[in-house]
Structures are given as C-alpha cells and as structure tokens.
Amino acid sequence: MPPPPSSSTPSLALPAMTRSQADPDLPSLISDLTSLLLHSPAASSGAAAPVFSSSSLSIPIPAPAAPKPNPAAAAAVPTPLARAAIGACAGAAAGAFTYAALLPIDAVKTRLQAAAAPSATAWQVFLDILRTDGPLGLYRGLSAVILGSASSSAVYFGTCELAKSLLRPHLPPFLVPPLAGASGNISSSAIMVPKELITQRLQSGAATGRSWQVLLHIIQTDGFFGLYAGYAATLLRNLPTGVLSYSSFEYLKAFTLKSRDKESLTPGESVLCGALAGAISAALTTPLDVVKTRLMTRVGTEGSRTVLGTMREVVAEEGLMGLSRGIGPRVLHSACFAALGYCAFETARLAILQWYLEGCQRKAAAQPQMEPAAAAT
C-alpha cells in the first residue's frame, strides 16, 4: 500500500537548496554588477558564458547594440529636389558654353535650310557669310543664345534629374532615361522656342538688329504667341531628339561604368558617348528640323503655317531629298554639341555635387558640437 499523502494539496518536487542558495547576499550581487559595468567580459571560443554568477542568479551576455545611424552619411544623400537643383545649375553652365561655342555651325545649317537655292553647299554658305557679314556674322544672335540656352538647359537637365530620381524606384531601369528625356524636352521647349525663333531669324537674314529689338518686333507684329511659331514642329523634333540623345547617352554611360567598374565618366568617355548619341539622334530627326526651320523663318502670310502643310511644300518643291537638307552640318553640330554639352554637364555636375556633399558633411559634423552649447545655454 502506498504511503498516504501528508496533506490534501499536491506538492512540487524541488531540488534540495541550502540557505545560501535561496537567499543571495546583497554585497555579492552588487559586486557582480560593478564587475559587469567596469570590465569587459573575456571572449571565449566556445559557447557564451554568463557575464556574472551569484549563488542563485545567472545573466547571459547581452546582444550587441545596433550601430547608431551616422547623421553625416544620411545628410550627404541628395534629395530629389537637391539633385534637380544640381542638374539645373550644371545644365545652365553647360548649355551657355556649348551653344556659344557651336553657334557658327548652327548659322551655316540655318542658312542651308532656309535658303531657296538647293545647290549651295555648307562650305559655300560659310564663305558667303564671311564675305557679306564678316566673322561676326557667324555669331549673330549670340546674346539670345546665351540667355535662352542657359535657362532652357537649366530647365531641361533639372527636370531630367528630378524625373530620374522619382522614376527609378518605380520603373525598370531601361524605361527611366526615355521618360526623363521626354519630360525634360517638354518643359524646356517653352524657353527654347522663342530663343531659336530670334536666333534663326537673325541668322537667315529675315530680321536685323539686336536680339531684344527682334523680340519686340515679333511681339508688336504677331503678338506674344508669335514667339511660339513652329512650337509644334519644335516639340515634334525635340521629343524624338531628346529621347534618342538622352537615352543613348545614359545607356552608353551605364555600359561604360559597368564595364570599367567606376562611378563616373572621365571627360574623354563623356565626349565619345555624347558625340555618338548626338549624331544618331540628329540624323534621324533632320526632316522635322527642316520643317521647323521653314516655319520659323517665314515672315508675314507666305506659305503654310502647319507642320504637315510645310512638309508637303518641301516635298513638292524639292522631293524627298529636300527633307534632308542640312543633314551634314546638323549631324556635325549635334555630335559636337552633345559631346561638349554632356562633357561640360558631367564635369559641372560632379563638381557641384562634391561641393554639396562636403557642405552636408560639415553641417552634420558641426551639429553634435552645437547641441552641448545649446543645452548649456
């Protein structure tokens, strides 16, 4: 017969425990805590040993604390608006420099596309400008070019950089450059069209005087919207040109950076990638540029005022080859323009970005020093 229970309530079987194990003394516990706070535990090759032990308490090694975020690194990452501002500043400098440097080639191209004599070559037009107007004739409309190109390039590259920053997290990488280039061209055409209108009327001889005088004359005779003659043709030309040129440069840039395992292009690489991208886009969009030039250089009510009507007139008068007039100077101009433009833009962008990052790091480094002073105040 089993022995009867000692009481009516069930009892738990506990191991034997001495008094010193059941009631840890306070001085020993305090000594162990002090050792934990003042001394680092020795690393063991096996399992993690307890940090300290008393007769009845064992605490495992605490997990390492997560590293604190570096405010300097976080502040050094440009926001989309900061990238847009950096791109706008770099684009303004690159646009003014590039358009002014290549204005003589653009003057020859404009004369070829606006003239009625199809037999004239680019070299003959160049010599004719030197004979009639002198070397300064190649730089007619320079003030309008610098002002208009700086502002339009700032809007173009600023919009492209902003679009890239906003679209990259949501779209496949190969779709970002075309959409960024299209958005940049749509926004910059509002400034580009009046600038090209004034410049090409001066280059073709349809208007004389200073750029601001031509501007006032157009507003007085045709109204404010007269500044946007050929806007539809310009947009039709700039959208394919911008998408082809910008996308080609971005694809070539990405391929070069990946193959060379680098973060930025050298000036020589920027020149080669830009020249190839500009030549391809210019050759494919020359017909639209011919129509746009015809619309911009017409004075009064002569000829058609629509894109399709002007295209039919060119084909009827000169055949399909008339739509390719000026293709040589245009390809040369676009290749040189893209080479110089992208090289100048990349150089200016990297310089401004470096200056921006250094400023952010200086501010982040000075922030911890300012906090104790503010607390003491």
Side-chain angles (χ1 to χ4, degrees):
M1 180 181 292
S6 59
S7 63
S8 59
T9 59
S11 62
L12 296 176
L14 296 175
M17 183 180 297
T18 64
R19 178 174 179 81
S20 60
Q21 290 175 326
D23 299 320
D25 57 302
L26 184 61
S28 176
L29 184 59
I30 294 177
S31 176
D32 289 338
L33 288 173
T34 305
S35 176
L36 172 66
L37 296 175
L38 297 181
H39 304 285
S40 299
S44 61
S45 59
V51 175
F52 67 91
S53 298
S54 67
S55 56
S56 62
L57 184 61
S58 179
I59 300 178
I61 297 176
K68 295 182 179 180
N70 187 2
V77 179
T79 63
L81 289 180
R83 290 185 182 276
I86 293 172
C89 294
F97 166 76
T98 308
Y99 274 100
L102 299 177
L103 189 59
I105 300 177
D106 188 60
V108 175
K109 185 265 301 180
T110 300
R111 287 285 184 95
L112 275 173
Q113 292 180 345
S119 60
T121 63
W123 180 249
Q124 291 173 341
V125 171
F126 175 76
L127 294 178
D128 183 63
I129 294 175
L130 290 180
R131 283 194 300 265
T132 56
D133 301 326
L136 293 180
L138 296 172
Y139 290 93
R140 297 184 67 179
L142 179 61
S143 59
V145 166
I146 292 178
L147 180 62
S149 60
S151 55
S152 63
S153 297
V155 174
Y156 173 77
F157 282 107
T159 305
C160 288
E161 290 296 313
L162 179 62
K164 285 198 301 182
S165 299
L166 296 178
L167 294 177
R168 273 174 180 166
H170 308 288
L171 293 177
F174 69 92
L175 289 180
V176 174
L179 294 177
S183 61
N185 274 279
I186 292 174
S187 60
S188 64
S189 291
I191 302 174
M192 181 75 71
V193 170
K195 184 268 297 183
E196 286 195 359
L197 178 67
I198 296 171
T199 302
Q200 292 189 352
R201 288 200 177 182
L202 286 170
Q203 290 174 344
S204 64
T208 57
R210 300 286 186 180
S211 299
W212 64 270
Q213 293 174 333
V214 178
L215 172 66
L216 293 178
H217 178 72
I218 293 174
I219 294 176
Q220 290 173 356
T221 55
D222 301 328
F224 175 78
F225 290 103
L227 295 172
Y228 290 91
Y231 179 79
T234 301
L235 201 59
L236 288 175
R237 180 204 65 175
N238 284 354
L239 277 177
T241 302
V243 170
L244 288 172
S245 177
Y246 191 79
S247 301
S248 300
F249 178 79
E250 288 292 320
Y251 295 149
L252 291 170
K253 175 183 174 181
F255 174 78
T256 303
L257 294 180
K258 184 178 180 180
S259 61
R260 296 175 63 87
D261 194 19
K262 296 168 58 179
E263 295 183 357
S264 60
L265 296 176
T266 64
E269 292 170 345
S270 298
V271 168
L272 292 177
C273 293
L276 183 58
I280 294 173
S281 63
L284 296 177
T285 57
T286 296
L288 294 175
D289 190 58
V290 172
V291 174
K292 185 268 306 178
T293 302
R294 292 291 180 91
L295 285 170
M296 283 187 168
T297 54
R298 281 174 178 169
V299 181
T301 58
E302 60 179 8
S304 174
R305 291 291 179 179
T306 64
V307 175
L308 291 178
T310 303
M311 187 174 292
R312 292 193 190 98
E313 290 177 358
V314 174
V315 174
E317 294 173 2
E318 306 173 28
L320 291 176
M321 293 301 297
L323 294 175
S324 63
R325 290 184 60 185
I327 187 172
R330 174 169 165 77
V331 169
L332 176 62
H333 174 269
S334 296
C336 295
F337 171 79
L340 291 179
Y342 282 118
C343 180
F345 171 74
E346 286 292 316
T347 303
R349 184 184 66 84
L350 291 175
I352 298 173
L353 180 61
Q354 181 67 25
W355 173 79
Y356 171 82
L357 295 178
E358 290 176 354
C360 290
Q361 291 174 355
R362 285 194 300 268
K363 290 181 181 179
Q367 189 69 22
Q369 301 176 2
M370 296 174 60
E371 289 177 356
T377 303

